[in-house]
């Protein structure tokens, strides 16, 4: 499952999409909007994507991970638009027979996603807003 | 030749639109030359040049790649998706 | 949240228990009953715990992780009794400001749990059953 | 003195019960001596000795720890919880 969505991410649905009777381990990563960043209080975030390319890049990352680790399932869902504090911007689920593979692949996916998938976030504060661009923000 | 340019995040804010069609690009122009052509119209873009990424037809591209008629050329800042 | 349960684990409830407005990352690990092990087809598992001590050891692991990484929440739930293929035996959720801490702490918890928490599993096959004891089984 | 012994997994199967109260343990006995006393009654336990863990009052313990009246002594195989 590779999806760009504009509504809240249903984590259980994503986890179920990677389930397999052969999988003994499911690792997930959930990226959540924090109430503070760069020393400022965040009121909400806005995520913008280059949608077609973002999806292409997410498919590539999934393919790389499936080639590199023996996995039974891998799903990536990224949300765009306005997100409130506590809401999930990205959710990754990885299923494998053994836990090391699930952990490593999950980490690889989020690390790679953050440098290659064309999605940007704008942080909104009580007194302004700023695009957070690049360099592992 | 005609190319379509897509802009995102702060670049889109500078230009005030997310898509621009340019119809005066000389054949053989590179992605960098297209950017400079755009920056002449929108000088506010110049300060982004150093940290910019370019994609041609939704694939990351080199700045010296020649563009073709009808290409979709996207300029954007380093990405910041994900969170945390 | 540290719990030993005998009914299905509600993952969403566990994830919600670690949520915090300061947490930007939630890593989870879900240990699931596989349909095969040691070259045999598994029909179901039976988990037995030394309940009071298991809980004490889980509390210790949580404390160690909280001392070692800057975390906003950490929950461990282990299920005992009969489990079918595809059901979760253990679910761990870790929340932190940044993702590296959540991943590392989550990995630490499952790795340590598997060597120190007094819980044993019996694998049931079509033609028999065997206690899986020790050594990172 | 009286101690309570708890057995788990395959050890419990060998002995046929999960708790045994022994009332004839000499003061100063170690956890290992308690195990040997139990193994005299249930010889099937002997083959587990090498890979066994012991807990006294729900804390992992050394085999040479002396036990006290009323202690809860648990013998069990290396753990295998978790999955995967």
């Amino acid at each position: 499952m590779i999806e760009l969505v504009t509504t809240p991410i249903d984590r259980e649905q994503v986890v179920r999409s990677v389930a397999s009777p052969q999988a003994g381990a499911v690792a997930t990563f959930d990226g959540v909007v924090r109430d503070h960043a760069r020393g400022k209080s965040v009121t909400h975030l806005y995520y913008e994507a280059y949608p077609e390319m973002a999806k292409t890049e997410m498919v590539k990352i999934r393919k790389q991970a499936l080639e590199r680790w023996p996995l039974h399932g891998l799903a990536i869902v990224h949300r765009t638009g306005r997100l409130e504090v506590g809401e999930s911007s990205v959710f990754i689920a990885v299923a494998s027979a053994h836990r090391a593979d699930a952990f490593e692949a999950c980490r690889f996916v989020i690390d790679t996603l953050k440098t290659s998938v064309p999605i940007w976030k704008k942080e909104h504060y009580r007194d302004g807003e700023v695009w957070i661009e690049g360099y592992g923000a | 030749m005609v190319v379509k340019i897509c802009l995102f995040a702060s670049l889109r804010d500078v230009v005030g639109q997310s898509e621009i069609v340019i119809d005066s690009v000389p054949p053989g122009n590179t992605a960098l030359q297209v950017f400079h052509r755009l920056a002449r119209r929108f000088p506010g873009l110049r300060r982004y040049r150093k940290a910019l990424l370019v994609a041609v037809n939704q694939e990351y591209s080199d700045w010296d790649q020649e563009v073709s008629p009808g290409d979709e050329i996207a300029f954007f800042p380093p990405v910041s998706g994900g969170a945390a």
Side-chain angles (χ1 to χ4, degrees), chain A, chain B:
Chain A
M1 176 196 277
I2 297 290
E3 276 184 18
L4 267 183
V5 300
T6 54
T7 50
I9 298 171
D10 181 340
R11 289 184 289 243
E12 268 300 299
Q13 193 195 344
V14 183
V15 168
R16 280 195 300 269
S17 82
V18 301
S20 153
Q22 297 158 278
V26 178
T28 75
F29 176 78
D30 190 7
V32 183
V33 178
R34 281 188 292 151
D35 65 0
H36 64 288
R38 277 155 276 274
K40 302 194 92 172
S41 180
V42 172
T43 57
H44 64 277
L45 291 190
Y46 180 82
Y47 281 89
E48 173 180 318
Y50 182 6
E52 306 83 359
M53 185 173 166
K55 204 149 172 182
T56 303
E57 290 295 320
M58 284 157 73
V59 168
K60 276 187 201 167
I61 294 172
R62 181 173 187 275
K63 192 163 167 286
Q64 284 167 26
L66 292 174
E67 283 166 4
R68 197 155 147 191
W69 290 276
L71 305 178
H72 291 297
L74 195 166
I76 312 173
V77 180
H78 205 303
R79 181 174 167 193
T80 59
R82 179 183 166 132
L83 274 79
E84 307 302 323
V85 170
E87 289 193 309
S88 300
S89 57
V90 62
F91 188 76
I92 297 158
V94 182
S96 60
H98 301 285
R99 68 188 186 280
D101 297 319
F103 272 116
E104 286 168 25
C106 190
R107 184 78 191 262
F108 164 82
V109 169
I110 181 63
D111 288 352
T112 309
L113 183 146
K114 288 179 70 76
T115 59
S116 75
V117 176
I119 298 179
W120 303 269
K121 68 178 170 202
K122 187 186 247 182
E123 285 175 357
H124 289 256
Y125 318 109
R126 230 169 292 281
D127 59 350
E129 57 190 58
V130 62
W131 281 108
I132 306 306
E133 294 172 346
Y135 311 122
Chain B
M1 64 188 183
V2 175
V3 299
K4 178 170 128 187
I5 291 175
C6 298
L7 299 162
F8 296 95
S10 55
L11 272 78
R12 197 254 335 278
D13 290 354
V14 166
V15 169
Q17 53 194 117
S18 56
E19 290 189 15
I20 303 172
V21 173
I22 310 195
D23 58 8
S24 55
V25 177
N29 254 22
T30 64
L32 182 60
Q33 287 171 311
V34 172
F35 179 78
H36 285 315
R37 179 171 298 267
L38 192 70
R40 279 199 291 278
R41 261 170 78 183
F42 303 99
L45 288 177
R46 287 204 184 107
R47 67 186 183 88
Y48 290 92
R49 167 63 190 91
K50 263 181 155 169
L52 220 55
L53 298 173
V54 59
V56 175
N57 298 329
Q58 298 161 21
E59 293 277 347
Y60 282 105
S61 164
D62 293 325
W63 285 99
D64 58 6
Q65 183 175 321
E66 288 187 13
V67 301
S68 303
D71 276 355
E72 176 174 307
I73 303 162
F75 299 118
F76 49 77
V79 308
S80 63

